[in-house]
Amino acid sequence: MVDLHAHTDRSDGTLSPRGLVDLARQTNLAALAITDHDTIAGYDDAAPYAREVGLELVCGVELGARYDGSAIHVLGYFLEAPPDELFRRRLEELKQARRERNERLAERLRSLGLDVRVEEAEALGREQTGRPHFARLLVSKGYVANYREAFEVYLDEQGKGFVPRREPSLETVFGWIRDARGVSSWAHPGRFVRKAGSKPEESFQALAAHGLQAVEAYHRDHLPEESKRFDLAAQKLGLGVTGGSDFHGPTLGGVPLGGLHLKDELLERLRSFSRSLYPAA
Ligand code: AMP
Ligand code: FE
Ligand code: FE
Ligand code: ZN
């Protein structure tokens, strides 16, 4: 069993990178990909430990991009080697852009009468502080009843406190991943396809034309029959296929780590797909 989509507390997950590796072993996963939002710090931290305890750990990342007025998430999988310095610098720039946004977001929330300082969110967010950490802060201060309400009332694009951040375009993100010899995969495409009311085949093809290389057919948001359809559509277009639980922590709902029961073969297929994209120099 493998799981190719999971977050640590280096982004918005709640387990430490080592804690996630321990859980993966308890769950008897053959391989795990850490795919934190905009950072590979969790992978860097977990990699030596995973080697020590004999868990196959894949270096991944989840990047946000703008497409057609929607926020799209793109996974990157680095199967040959973790990304180089250039890619790491690009992540650093994203972190800086988010930090600037967070300052403005805290100001905006204060102007709405909420006592929120950016340092308080950063204390929860460590490497990568984003809106999820602001959401937790608003819950803990009693301004909203729960995480969902924090987004609905304040943090969503329709929320009172929303402040946009500079987000790279899809082409930019695909290019960054390709430059680092990674495989890009459209994370949880079901959300977009449903919202747009589009045919998955057409959306996949449209993104492939922008440089997309694979599709996350298997995700907890997808019904089993949707996953099948996404898998077949991706294969028809010559795209790779990925899948994972999008695990954020044992207390955060969703499916458990490994909860999609994905076969080892999924990672083997991704590996040969990566080799077909980047033949050994
Ligand atoms: P940021 O990149 O800091 O703007 O935060 C984006 C993250 O917030 C996403 O990756 C999601 O994990 C989370 N998020 C965005 N919108 C919502 C929502 N409506 N409900 C719950 N979480 C959300
Ligand atoms: Fe997340
Ligand atoms: Fe996502
Ligand atoms: Zn995710």
Side-chain angles (χ1 to χ4, degrees):
M1 223 162 63
V2 299
D3 194 327
L4 302 182
H5 190 159
H7 296 267
T8 75
D9 65 5
R10 299 307 190 262
S11 68
D12 58 347
T14 57
L15 292 185
S16 68
R18 282 157 189 253
L20 187 65
V21 169
D22 285 336
L23 182 61
R25 292 194 67 232
Q26 285 157 24
T27 314
N28 277 321
L29 284 185
L32 165 75
I34 293 184
T35 55
D36 276 317
H37 299 282
D38 295 1
T39 177
I40 47 177
Y43 167 83
D44 285 340
D45 190 60
Y49 181 60
R51 255 194 304 277
E52 201 180 296
V53 300
L55 175 79
E56 180 172 2
L57 190 68
V58 173
C59 180
V61 73
E62 183 172 14
L63 303 175
R66 284 268 127 203
Y67 172 67
D68 212 6
S70 289
I72 295 263
H73 288 181
V74 177
L75 296 157
Y77 292 104
F78 307 94
L79 296 155
E80 297 180 19
D84 58 7
E85 270 312 308
L86 175 62
F87 188 82
R88 287 165 192 266
R89 279 204 297 278
R90 288 168 163 166
L91 294 183
E92 240 350 273
E93 282 166 28
L94 289 180
K95 190 165 155 183
Q96 202 49 45
R98 189 181 266 99
R99 194 171 276 151
E100 285 159 23
R101 189 277 315 265
N102 290 346
E103 297 277 357
R104 284 180 287 129
L105 176 55
E107 270 169 39
R108 176 84 173 245
L109 293 171
R110 281 197 298 275
S111 78
L112 293 168
L114 311 189
D115 171 33
V116 170
R117 282 172 303 112
V118 71
E119 295 79 14
E120 294 174 293
E122 276 172 357
L124 300 173
R126 298 159 184 255
E127 271 302 312
Q128 195 272 32
T129 301
R131 283 181 288 158
H133 308 101
F134 280 90
R136 286 179 207 161
L137 196 60
L138 295 184
V139 175
S140 73
K141 291 191 172 225
Y143 290 128
V144 288
N146 54 48
Y147 187 84
R148 180 183 292 268
E149 192 181 314
F151 273 93
E152 267 173 25
V153 179
Y154 292 105
L155 303 170
D156 246 355
E157 299 195 14
Q158 286 78 33
K160 292 189 275 194
F162 183 73
V163 173
R165 88 181 151 89
R166 274 186 284 123
E167 264 181 314
S169 70
L170 263 186
E171 282 85 352
T172 301
V173 159
F174 293 153
W176 288 353
I177 294 171
R178 208 178 318 106
D179 288 349
R181 295 173 76 82
V183 179
S184 58
S185 181
W186 187 0
H188 41 75
R191 285 184 205 171
F192 177 91
V193 167
R194 266 182 229 137
K195 202 170 135 201
S198 66
K199 286 205 168 76
E201 292 78 6
E202 286 164 13
S203 298
F204 296 177
Q205 189 157 26
L207 262 72
H210 289 275
L212 178 74
Q213 295 164 326
V215 170
E216 187 178 49
Y218 301 91
H219 185 275
R220 59 155 193 251
D221 284 1
H222 304 158
L223 298 168
E225 55 268 30
E226 282 179 311
S227 289
K228 267 257 108 43
R229 180 171 177 186
F230 293 170
D231 189 338
L232 290 175
Q235 290 189 57
K236 237 182 218 150
L237 291 164
L239 298 171
V241 175
T242 71
S245 62
D246 207 350
F247 182 77
H248 279 74
T251 55
L252 291 181
V255 303
L257 190 69
L260 296 184
H261 303 284
L262 299 169
K263 297 201 179 93
D264 297 10
E265 185 197 81
L266 188 74
L267 178 57
E268 286 156 25
R269 272 164 68 194
L270 185 62
R271 238 180 238 299
S272 40
F273 183 73
S274 172
R275 273 196 290 268
S276 74
L277 294 173
Y278 308 106

